[in-house]
Amino acid sequence: MADIRNNFIGIKSPNPFWLASAPPTDKAYNVVRAFKAGWGGVVWKTLGEEGPPVVNVNGPRYGAIWGADRRLLGLNNIELITDRQLQVNLQEMKQVKKDFPDRAIVASIMVPCEEEAWKAILPLVEDTEVDGIELNFGCPHGMSERGMGSAVGQVPEYIEMVARWCKQYTRMPVIVKLTPNITDIRYPARAAKRGGADAVSLINTISSITAVNLDTFSPEPSIDGRGSHGGYCGPAVKPIALNMVAEIARDPETRGLPISGIGGVTTWRDAAEFLALGAGNVQVCTAAMTYGFKIVQEMIEGLKSWMDEKGHATLDDVIGRATPNVTDWQYLNLNYVTKAHINQDLCIKCGRCHIACEDTSHQAITNIVDGLRHFEVIEEECVGCNLCVNVCPVEGCIDMVPLHAGELDRRTGKIVQPTYANWTQHPNNPMAQKPTPVQVPEQEVEPAE
Amino acid sequence: MDERLLQDGIVGNRLSPPTYAENFADLHPPLDQHEALVESDRCYFCYDAPCMQACPTTIDIPLFIRQISTGNPLGAAKTIFDQNIMGGMCARVCPTETLCEEACVRELAEGKPVKIGHLQRYATDAAMAKNKQFYQRAAPTGKRIAVVGAGPAGLSAAHRLALHGHEVIIFDARPKAGGLNEYGIAAYKSTNNFAQAEVDYVTAIGGIEIRENMALGRDFSLDDLRGEFDAVFIGLGLAGVNALRADGEDLRGVENAVDFIAALRQAEDKGVLPIGRRVVVIGGGMTAIDAAVQAKLLGAEEVTVCYRRGQEQMNASDYEQELAKANGVVIRHWLQPKRVLATDGRVSGIELEYTALADDRLAGTGRALVLEADQVFKAIGQSLDASLWSDAGSFLQNGKIKVDAEGHTSIPNVWAGGDCVAGGEDLTVWATRQGRDAAESIHRSLTAQRAPAAPAALELA
């Protein structure tokens, strides 16, 4: 059986599934339930500085979008950091850590961007004997208006500065949580590293308005007829998060910096994908808030089963395995030619592949053949774009089949070449490099159309 | 066991009022909003959708279902009514399992088609509940058109003609409009007086006058109409009932299934309808099934449908047959009636003969079967009264009115549609289509400048 014990920057947990800093980790009651359900760790909901607690709205905090059958695809929230007394949180954290010594507890912290504020809170947290701290530089709503959260995360110099203070004033491992509300995630990640952070975690939520009420013309969630942007999360944000994780994992400046992957993790498969792209573990929130803590059982079991099936003994055999395969577009092999193939036994004749291709793409799928409703790929027109696969309601009905070297690509009339060739060498590229650039195998490169 | 259930002969009040109410409640209760949203999510919005192709009125089914899924049931209703103004009744009575739902790709994919009929009812009910009228009549044309028969064909034609600005007078032989929708559909398929509500909804467009108790051949002639109106549409259905051609057919207790079904629809109190303890229905179509199921629901102890051919040849759909079986009706095949048996002048049984195919021809085998019965319903088809037409020879084809592709008959300025014409199927949805298309043809013909549009009229000009 695969061993999925996790060691993330020295913080050990029985599995790589942590609950992210959010409502599910706001107090001991929830965290104890989570640990009993099997979660490997939690990042306790963000603590603020000592004093009067923050105040939340008293109306709706969440907005959402749904897929078929009202499956929740994306959730946004305008909830602030914990609105409980700092001391209450600290006492509970200390007790829970004592009761569950094998689980990871990390304290999320957000205090004003002043050295004294960080210097004041760090010893209090350290005293709870939790495993580490996560600097909340991510929340895009509410706190950011007060110069905290994503207001810090959007300025790499601030990230570096605060990370450095934390490393200076505590022995605890420091994780910097990054906001995706920036143009290039590599800059804040590099800043965290320069500041001495032990790891980054990402993504925090994305600034968003989920809907507009068309009766009242108020954004949702509506507070007395008005709304404010919230932080977006859930399955809908996963592709954005995966890319940002990969960008940091493959950036020469941050390569090797541990990453805690966050963003839409709902199943073991999502988690495995984050790990493969370079995350050392994952954090989950929306899936738990949608289905309850029990979902971790599926994640644990599913991840182990997959690892067993593939022969991966430990998480280290998985982490980062996909990272080298993430490259720039210019290095993609232009001699790789695929054609869609429709399995007629599985086809239910809905015609969506045809109309998608006919209306919006390459007119490469039939509708009527010999007077009968029949959907078949016209290889002479198919550019292998994969749109038909993505719109087909039957999984596995349409495949993208690569042409072998030596076969005729009936669209271009050219023989498929066995060699690798990319844009950097393409004759249409005025910047084409000669001789062959880095990353390109030695074979002679055939130009592709 | 209640004694009334076991009482021989044809008697009423076999069941208690609550049981009648339960038995004749809506066969398919309407979808609520949640159910409609969940079901509409299942539609794949197919290209050139097979369901749409299978619909005789070509309703844009993917579009109306998508409109339901986006919270726009009124828009969905308009999509339906654009093609089929009788969409509310069609949602209730269409054999969807052999039309749109049979063609649904999810039937192929997983054996569970999208419930198109239920969704259509959801949308049309929403519009009718609000009496949302979608159509504005065109400016008056000054043309007057007579419609014979206020059934689905006539109402569909009348609505489309009124829409184009013509004045329509509908003549109907019965006391109420609606035709078979009012008199010919099982009570549990059209509850809450839906047929009349639909007549009111359709005629609310304006420009349509309905004259009840006016029968062609009795109160007026076709020539009268041709003299008074610019065009005539005939949609009077099939009033005649085919005979059993078996001895004893005139005995008390031998009844037409269509009359029984009509009486059921008109009866507020089902207890007043007498029903036999043992009932035999002769026939294999929807009428036979509707009569058999309702006989059972009225409290008959045994109901047997006897059909002279095999299960595959039955006109009743598989769904209808299953419905009958689920209600305890026995369906027997390869049996034809020979003689109705009587005791003291009352039906006491029926003698049937086994049939078989010999050289592809159906023939009696000489072997007999006697079923006990105190009531026999005839449901072996309806027919058109040929004596209504002066030149039946050229006007009719196989006993029905001959029409061209536009619904035009052999008589100038006379169109026809519905069950009374040859071609199509005897279904509400086909009648609706034929009425609609004939109306368009009439409109083209009446508004064409000088040259008449219909070829038949051209020949006679």
Side-chain angles (χ1 to χ4, degrees):
Chain A
M1 196 73 175
D3 179 359
I4 63 166
R5 282 178 299 174
N6 188 229
N7 182 343
F8 185 74
I9 57 172
I11 303 172
K12 289 177 181 162
S13 57
N15 61 58
F17 303 108
W18 291 8
L19 283 169
S21 170
T25 60
D26 191 30
K27 54 187 184 294
Y29 180 85
N30 305 75
V31 172
V32 167
R33 286 181 68 86
F35 284 161
K36 285 179 176 169
W39 290 88
V42 301
V43 181
W44 204 279
K45 186 167 165 83
T46 306
L47 309 173
E49 61 185 341
E50 214 154 0
V54 304
V55 173
N56 270 301
V57 294
N58 297 298
R61 300 176 189 185
Y62 302 109
I65 64 162
W66 300 270
D69 210 5
R70 213 174 149 84
R71 185 170 288 254
L72 189 137
L73 297 181
L75 185 72
N76 94 346
N77 82 89
I78 55 169
E79 184 172 294
L80 303 183
I81 62 173
T82 184
D83 52 13
R84 306 193 316 150
Q85 290 285 353
L86 177 62
Q87 286 304 326
V88 174
N89 277 310
L90 294 172
Q91 284 160 18
E92 287 186 5
M93 288 161 67
K94 185 165 191 161
Q95 186 62 46
V96 176
K97 183 63 201 177
K98 191 179 286 177
D99 295 342
F100 293 87
D102 68 322
R103 310 301 172 93
I105 297 182
V106 170
S108 173
I109 305 173
M110 180 195 288
V111 293
C113 210
E114 297 154 9
E115 188 169 0
E116 287 307 310
W118 290 92
K119 196 175 170 182
I121 197 169
L122 290 172
L124 304 179
V125 173
E126 206 169 274
D127 184 53
T128 64
E129 296 176 4
V130 296
D131 302 288
I133 58 171
E134 183 181 79
L135 315 188
N136 182 344
F137 295 160
C139 280
H141 52 272
M143 302 309 286
S144 57
E145 297 168 13
R146 307 174 199 177
M148 292 181 270
S150 64
V152 178
Q154 287 165 337
V155 183
E157 292 76 14
Y158 293 172
I159 293 173
E160 182 178 346
M161 175 177 72
V162 179
R164 186 163 286 127
W165 291 338
C166 291
K167 285 307 290 180
Q168 186 181 340
Y169 294 120
T170 178
R171 55 165 177 75
M172 293 183 287
V174 174
I175 305 167
V176 173
K177 187 166 182 177
L178 302 179
T179 175
N181 300 303
I182 40 80
T183 47
D184 188 337
I185 196 69
R186 293 174 299 181
Y187 290 88
R190 288 168 186 164
K193 190 177 182 190
R194 281 195 304 273
D198 299 285
V200 289
S201 58
L202 71 158
I203 59 173
N204 205 309
T205 55
I206 303 172
S207 294
S208 57
I209 292 173
T210 50
V212 174
N213 184 314
L214 294 178
D215 294 322
T216 63
F217 289 112
S218 168
E220 300 282 6
S222 173
I223 303 294
D224 195 23
R226 302 182 79 183
S228 179
H229 74 261
Y232 196 46
C233 55
V237 312
K238 184 186 115 181
I240 297 164
L242 283 178
N243 176 56
M244 290 186 165
V245 165
E247 287 294 289
I248 294 170
R250 73 189 189 96
D251 178 30
E253 287 191 41
T254 53
R255 190 173 291 159
L257 178 67
I259 300 167
S260 185
I262 312 169
V265 175
T266 308
T267 67
W268 71 265
R269 198 176 281 278
D270 300 325
E273 290 169 14
F274 272 94
L275 297 178
L277 281 175
N281 69 6
V282 294
Q283 297 184 31
V284 178
C285 172
T286 309
M289 290 185 74
T290 309
Y291 302 108
F293 290 143
K294 184 182 174 181
I295 50 153
V296 75
Q297 294 172 14
E298 179 280 325
M299 295 180 181
I300 291 169
E301 175 54 36
L303 183 63
K304 283 183 182 173
S305 295
W306 169 72
M307 288 172 64
D308 284 344
E309 191 187 318
K310 297 291 182 183
H312 304 307
T314 68
L315 294 177
D316 288 338
D317 297 326
V318 176
I319 293 168
R321 286 288 290 274
T323 314
N325 294 329
V326 182
T327 184
D328 294 344
W329 190 96
Q330 62 182 334
Y331 300 123
L332 297 177
N333 184 4
L334 295 174
N335 281 345
Y336 179 72
V337 182
T338 62
K339 300 287 178 187
H341 178 261
I342 300 171
N343 182 333
Q344 297 298 331
D345 292 335
L346 294 177
C347 176
I348 60 172
K349 298 184 165 51
C350 69
R352 292 208 335 208
C353 56
H354 163 79
I355 201 59
C357 193
E358 190 71 16
D359 276 354
T360 70
S361 293
H362 303 91
Q363 298 76 49
I365 297 180
T366 65
N367 171 31
I368 303 281
V369 175
D370 297 333
L372 294 175
R373 188 175 175 86
H374 183 79
F375 303 97
E376 199 166 284
V377 175
I378 303 163
E379 284 203 15
E380 287 77 359
E381 305 296 336
C382 178
V383 303
C385 77
N386 209 37
L387 178 63
C388 54
V389 174
N390 291 324
V391 302
C392 176
V394 179
E395 192 174 352
C397 176
I398 310 181
D399 286 322
M400 297 307 300
V401 182
L403 295 187
H404 297 298
E407 282 188 273
L408 174 69
D409 177 348
R410 289 200 262 164
R411 182 175 71 88
T412 59
K414 299 199 167 154
I415 301 296
V416 176
Q417 299 299 310
T419 49
Y420 164 94
N422 65 44
W423 174 243
T424 64
Q425 308 126 5
H426 197 279
N428 289 11
N429 180 359
M431 309 284 282
Q433 297 165 18
K434 299 166 199 164
T436 50
V438 190
Q439 290 203 26
V440 179
E442 287 175 353
Q443 313 94 307
E444 189 184 336
V445 172
E446 294 288 330
E449 282 295 311
Chain B
M1 181 60 97
D2 192 324
E3 276 304 307
R4 295 205 58 91
L5 281 174
L6 303 181
Q7 189 178 337
D8 288 334
I10 304 174
V11 299
N13 290 314
R14 285 186 184 272
L15 306 172
S16 65
T19 309
Y20 283 124
E22 192 181 317
N23 285 358
F24 289 92
D26 215 330
L27 179 61
H28 301 292
L31 300 180
D32 65 23
Q33 188 192 16
H34 170 72
E35 290 169 319
L37 289 177
V38 170
E39 193 60 25
S40 63
D41 262 346
R42 297 185 63 233
C43 174
Y44 285 139
F45 201 70
C46 296
Y47 168 70
D48 194 13
C51 55
M52 192 174 160
Q53 296 174 21
C55 175
T57 55
T58 328
I59 292 171
D60 193 339
I61 295 165
L63 181 60
F64 95 68
I65 293 180
R66 191 165 180 83
Q67 289 169 309
I68 290 174
S69 75
T70 59
N72 182 13
L74 295 183
K78 180 170 187 299
T79 299
I80 294 161
F81 290 140
D82 281 351
Q83 289 296 112
N84 180 339
I85 196 63
M86 311 299 288
M89 186 59 90
C90 287
R92 289 163 168 78
V93 303
C94 260
T96 51
E97 64 279 3
T98 60
L99 296 170
C100 53
E101 292 179 19
E102 182 179 55
C104 176
V105 301
R106 293 199 88 133
E107 168 65 21
L108 182 62
E110 65 219 42
K112 289 194 185 105
V114 174
K115 293 173 183 166
I116 298 167
H118 290 42
L119 290 169
Q120 180 166 319
R121 176 168 172 186
Y122 176 80
T124 52
D125 278 2
M128 290 175 68
K130 291 189 171 174
N131 194 25
K132 172 73 180 172
Q133 292 288 326
F134 296 104
Y135 306 102
Q136 278 233 302
R137 295 184 64 200
T141 60
K143 303 288 185 187
R144 296 174 74 242
I145 295 139
V147 170
V148 183
L155 288 168
S156 169
H159 185 270
R160 190 58 69 104
L161 290 166
L163 179 70
H164 286 310
H166 309 300
E167 288 292 320
V168 182
I169 313 287
I170 308 181
F171 300 91
D172 196 279
R174 303 249 205 181
K176 285 193 209 172
L180 287 186
N181 285 357
E182 175 59 38
Y183 294 98
I185 283 163
Y188 48 76
K189 292 181 187 169
S190 174
T191 56
N192 295 325
N193 209 16
F194 180 77
Q196 289 309 302
E198 188 170 52
V199 170
D200 294 342
Y201 182 75
V202 170
T203 55
I205 189 172
I208 301 172
E209 180 192 337
I210 301 180
R211 297 183 187 165
E212 289 92 355
N213 298 306
M214 292 285 283
L216 179 68
R218 185 188 73 196
D219 303 307
F220 58 89
S221 71
L222 184 55
D223 283 341
D224 293 341
L225 299 181
R226 293 184 64 211
E228 193 184 336
F229 293 90
D230 296 295
V232 179
F233 175 80
I234 300 170
L236 42 54
L238 301 170
V241 173
N242 292 341
L244 283 184
R245 282 177 285 181
D247 294 340
E249 184 162 359
D250 301 328
L251 285 165
R252 275 176 62 196
V254 180
E255 297 167 35
N256 293 330
V258 289
D259 296 337
F260 170 63
I261 290 166
L264 260 160
R265 279 292 298 282
Q266 300 308 310
E268 287 285 321
D269 171 11
K270 305 301 183 209
V272 304
L273 296 167
I275 193 72
R277 180 181 172 191
R278 299 182 183 89
V279 174
V280 171
V281 181
I282 305 297
M286 295 290 198
T287 303
I289 297 290
D290 279 357
V293 171
Q294 296 195 103
K296 194 75 190 155
L297 296 178
L298 281 176
E301 185 185 6
E302 288 176 19
V303 177
T304 310
V305 171
C306 296
Y307 178 53
R308 66 196 174 121
R309 291 178 184 268
Q311 199 255 332
E312 299 77 26
Q313 290 87 26
M314 285 183 76
N315 273 331
S317 68
D318 290 348
Y319 172 80
E320 294 286 335
Q321 294 181 45
E322 287 306 313
L323 179 71
K325 289 175 193 167
N327 277 285
V329 171
V330 175
I331 301 177
R332 301 191 61 157
H333 303 105
W334 305 109
L335 285 169
Q336 65 186 11
K338 292 298 284 182
R339 191 157 63 100
V340 182
L341 308 173
T343 305
D344 303 331
R346 289 171 174 275
V347 172
S348 62
I350 183 166
E351 182 184 325
L352 302 125
E353 181 185 20
Y354 285 97
T355 59
L357 285 178
D359 299 330
D360 287 340
R361 284 179 63 92
L362 192 73
T365 59
R367 295 191 59 176
L369 170 77
V370 172
L371 292 179
E372 270 190 88
D374 30 37
Q375 196 169 24
V376 173
F377 288 116
K378 299 185 281 185
I380 54 173
Q382 288 94 258
S383 57
L384 190 62
D385 182 356
S387 70
L388 287 173
W389 325 104
S390 52
D391 188 7
S394 60
F395 192 65
L396 302 185
Q397 176 184 16
N398 296 329
K400 290 189 168 190
I401 299 171
K402 186 170 68 181
V403 290
D404 65 15
E406 299 225 332
H408 197 271
T409 70
S410 60
I411 299 174
N413 292 331
V414 178
W415 282 256
D419 289 358
C420 64
V421 302
E425 290 179 53
D426 292 352
L427 295 173
T428 298
V429 67
W430 270 95
T432 306
R433 161 192 169 146
Q434 290 166 339
R436 175 197 73 190
D437 293 351
E440 290 293 347
S441 177
I442 292 168
H443 176 63
R444 282 194 296 275
S445 173
L446 294 183
T447 53
Q449 306 240 322
R450 294 174 181 275
L458 196 64
E459 287 166 23
L460 291 156

